[in-house]
Amino acid sequence: MKVKVKLFAILRERAGAGEITKEIGEGSTVIELWEALTRDYPKLASAKIHLLYAVNQSYVTPDHVLRDRDEVVFVPPVSGG
Amino acid sequence: MKVKVKLFAILRERAGAGEITKEIGEGSTVIELWEALTRDYPKLASAKIHLLYAVNQSYVTPDHVLRDRDEVVFVPPVSGG
Amino acid sequence: MFRVTDKALNLQELVDYVTDPQAGAIVTFIGTTRNQNEGRQVLSLDYEAYPEMAEKELKRLGQEAGKRWNIQRMAIVHRVGRVEITEPSVIIAVSAAHRDDAFQACRFAIEEIKKTVPIWKKEVFEGGEVWIGTQSGQRFHQR
Amino acid sequence: MFRVTDKALNLQELVDYVTDPQAGAIVTFIGTTRNQNEGRQVLSLDYEAYPEMAEKELKRLGQEAGKRWNIQRMAIVHRVGRVEITEPSVIIAVSAAHRDDAFQACRFAIEEIKKTVPIWKKEVFEGGEVWIGTQSGQRFHQR
């Protein structure tokens, strides 16, 4: 199945991409997707920053199980305001 | 000596006057002026409201001694905002 | 800017006045006439001031706020005369490097105005009118 | 009104939106770009958002504020893109019958924005740029 990953801010810059479509196995979790992504884009993991995880515009836990066509966002520390 | 009394809000309405020039004795205090005024304008004292006292645009205590040409204001409870 | 005026208030004018390159936060308070108070249907509010002293007191409380908090600039304008429902009677604007100072100084300013600044509000309601704060029982108006 | 936009923000538009005959108080918070941060000379800030989720989170926190305090209306608009010194990046406006609710709900909104809303700020300073919050040591930016 396929999911759409959107990258913002420091992650977008590190990956050099704002949107990635990624093929993953049935039953994959959010954290497993992250690990797969960091193999494709090693720079993503270059410095430890605390990430939150969002699926279809809502925060989820790292063990959240993904479904086909989910929109996944790895959220670096927010700093709006 | 003479002082200028300005009346505002409920006191202005009760006295039917916004400004009164009043002759008082040397050494009179603010509270003595008020007592003299309530003899001239009995309606001023008709209901008990808590007053503050201002002379030349600064708050003073009731025993403040007046001087010639002072501007005196009896301040009913403020309610700006 | 500490002013009493009979003109309609202009929020943007105050915000422009306190805007400052060293400020990261601006907090404003706008007091507006609401259509009810203590169960009465309010038609409008009529404000009266002792203007020279009111402006002096506004400036004094601005200076006091500047001693207590790390703020850049403050502006307060209070209107007198008739203020219709939804119209602003008072606007306070405070800028500061950090938001906590701006919030605290703005809150302080409106609380002080309601205690010490010689401005009085007459409420005009269906069937009567009353100077707020002078009713029997010292009913104070909380906005 | 909960919106992310790349246009310059308009304070009066938000205040008009929250104006309400039942409100006696409107509190606004304006976050502006200041010219220094942690000893660095700041040139501008560049904001980026995950807009669909940011607007959803803004609405969610507005609903949460409505549960906690007795407010009439709330509006939040956050700008994205380059925000120059003194320009507003975010404006919050809250109306309420009484001022305490308006102050508290407004303060709550800006604190929540800085915790949960997916918007990121890159500081452009003399000699470099940095995504705030992602530096080593998790340096968080306090406005």
Side-chain angles (χ1 to χ4, degrees):
Chain A
M1 63 185 200
K2 276 182 180 161
V3 295
K4 184 164 76 176
V5 177
K6 287 186 171 181
L7 295 172
F8 294 100
I10 197 168
L11 298 183
R12 176 181 52 71
E13 290 187 351
R14 285 182 179 176
E19 197 168 314
I20 296 165
T21 302
K22 179 80 183 159
E23 186 83 33
I24 54 171
E26 206 71 41
S28 295
T29 64
V30 169
I31 194 73
E32 286 164 354
L33 171 61
W34 175 250
E35 284 156 5
L37 271 184
T38 58
R39 284 190 291 273
D40 299 349
Y41 301 87
K43 283 186 182 165
L44 277 182
S46 66
K48 275 147 205 66
I49 57 173
H50 181 69
L51 296 180
L52 296 176
Y53 311 93
V55 173
N56 303 330
Q57 289 109 50
S58 291
Y59 287 113
V60 298
T61 55
D63 59 357
H64 180 90
V65 176
L66 294 167
R67 290 192 289 191
D68 193 35
R69 297 184 199 201
D70 274 350
E71 177 175 297
V72 185
V73 173
F74 299 97
V75 182
V78 304
S79 52
Chain B
M1 61 184 199
K2 276 181 179 161
V3 294
K4 184 165 74 176
V5 177
K6 287 185 171 181
L7 296 172
F8 293 99
I10 196 167
L11 298 185
R12 177 181 52 71
E13 289 187 351
R14 285 182 179 177
E19 197 168 314
I20 297 165
T21 301
K22 179 80 184 159
E23 186 85 33
I24 55 171
E26 205 72 39
S28 296
T29 64
V30 169
I31 194 72
E32 287 165 354
L33 172 61
W34 175 251
E35 285 156 5
L37 271 184
T38 58
R39 284 189 292 272
D40 299 349
Y41 301 86
K43 283 185 182 168
L44 277 182
S46 65
K48 274 148 206 64
I49 56 172
H50 180 70
L51 295 181
L52 295 177
Y53 311 93
V55 173
N56 303 330
Q57 287 108 50
S58 291
Y59 286 114
V60 298
T61 54
D63 60 357
H64 180 90
V65 175
L66 294 166
R67 291 193 289 191
D68 193 35
R69 297 184 199 202
D70 274 349
E71 178 175 297
V72 185
V73 173
F74 299 97
V75 181
V78 305
S79 52
Chain C
M1 184 196 293
F2 299 98
R3 196 194 295 158
V4 172
T5 176
D6 59 359
K7 305 282 191 307
L9 304 185
N10 183 334
L11 173 62
Q12 192 63 50
E13 183 192 6
L14 277 84
V15 169
D16 289 345
Y17 180 85
V18 302
T19 294
D20 187 302
Q22 293 184 266
I26 297 172
V27 172
T28 76
F29 174 82
I30 307 164
T32 53
T33 299
R34 69 189 182 104
N35 62 9
Q36 52 184 296
N37 186 34
E38 304 183 348
R40 296 187 295 258
Q41 195 67 24
V42 176
L43 300 177
S44 66
L45 297 175
D46 262 312
Y47 286 90
E48 182 171 338
Y50 176 17
E52 306 91 317
M53 185 173 169
E55 292 187 347
K56 203 174 147 184
E57 282 291 309
L58 291 176
K59 186 178 284 184
R60 187 197 56 73
L61 79 83
Q63 287 166 342
E64 179 66 25
K67 285 180 206 156
R68 297 197 191 192
W69 294 282
N70 188 12
I71 60 178
Q72 296 299 127
R73 309 189 80 173
M74 181 181 272
I76 308 177
V77 182
H78 202 299
R79 189 168 167 190
V80 291
R82 177 149 298 194
V83 182
E84 308 287 350
I85 306 296
T86 76
E87 285 186 346
S89 51
V90 61
I91 303 182
I92 302 164
V94 188
S95 60
H98 301 291
R99 65 186 180 281
D100 190 52
D101 293 293
F103 271 109
Q104 292 205 50
C106 187
R107 184 70 194 259
F108 169 80
I110 183 60
E111 301 301 331
E112 283 295 299
I113 286 170
K114 288 171 178 281
K115 278 188 244 166
T116 69
V117 179
I119 300 177
W120 302 272
K121 168 167 44 201
K122 178 194 262 182
E123 186 184 296
V124 182
F125 54 89
E126 278 301 354
E129 51 181 48
V130 62
W131 286 102
I132 299 296
T134 60
Q135 302 101 313
S136 57
Q138 282 292 325
R139 194 160 20 150
F140 285 102
H141 182 73
Q142 205 215 351
R143 166 160 279 146
Chain D
M1 184 197 294
F2 300 97
R3 195 194 297 158
V4 171
T5 176
D6 59 0
K7 305 283 190 307
L9 304 186
N10 183 334
L11 173 62
Q12 192 63 50
E13 184 193 4
L14 277 85
V15 169
D16 289 346
Y17 180 86
V18 303
T19 294
D20 188 301
Q22 293 184 268
I26 297 172
V27 172
T28 75
F29 174 82
I30 307 164
T32 53
T33 299
R34 70 189 180 105
N35 63 9
Q36 51 184 298
N37 186 34
E38 304 185 349
R40 296 187 294 259
Q41 196 67 22
V42 177
L43 300 176
S44 66
L45 297 175
D46 262 314
Y47 286 89
E48 182 171 336
Y50 176 17
E52 307 90 317
M53 184 173 168
E55 292 186 347
K56 204 173 146 183
E57 281 291 307
L58 291 175
K59 187 179 284 183
R60 187 197 57 72
L61 78 84
Q63 288 166 341
E64 178 65 26
K67 285 181 205 156
R68 297 196 192 192
W69 294 283
N70 188 13
I71 59 178
Q72 296 300 126
R73 310 189 79 174
M74 182 181 272
I76 307 178
V77 182
H78 202 299
R79 189 168 168 191
V80 291
R82 176 148 300 192
V83 182
E84 308 287 352
I85 307 295
T86 75
E87 285 186 346
S89 50
V90 61
I91 302 182
I92 301 164
V94 188
S95 60
H98 301 290
R99 66 186 179 281
D100 190 53
D101 293 293
F103 270 108
Q104 292 205 49
C106 187
R107 184 69 194 260
F108 169 80
I110 183 60
E111 301 301 331
E112 283 295 298
I113 286 170
K114 287 171 178 281
K115 278 188 242 165
T116 70
V117 180
I119 300 178
W120 303 272
K121 167 166 47 200
K122 178 194 262 181
E123 186 184 296
V124 182
F125 55 89
E126 277 302 353
E129 50 180 50
V130 62
W131 286 102
I132 299 295
T134 60
Q135 303 101 312
S136 58
Q138 282 291 325
R139 192 158 24 147
F140 285 101
H141 182 73
Q142 205 215 349
R143 166 161 280 145

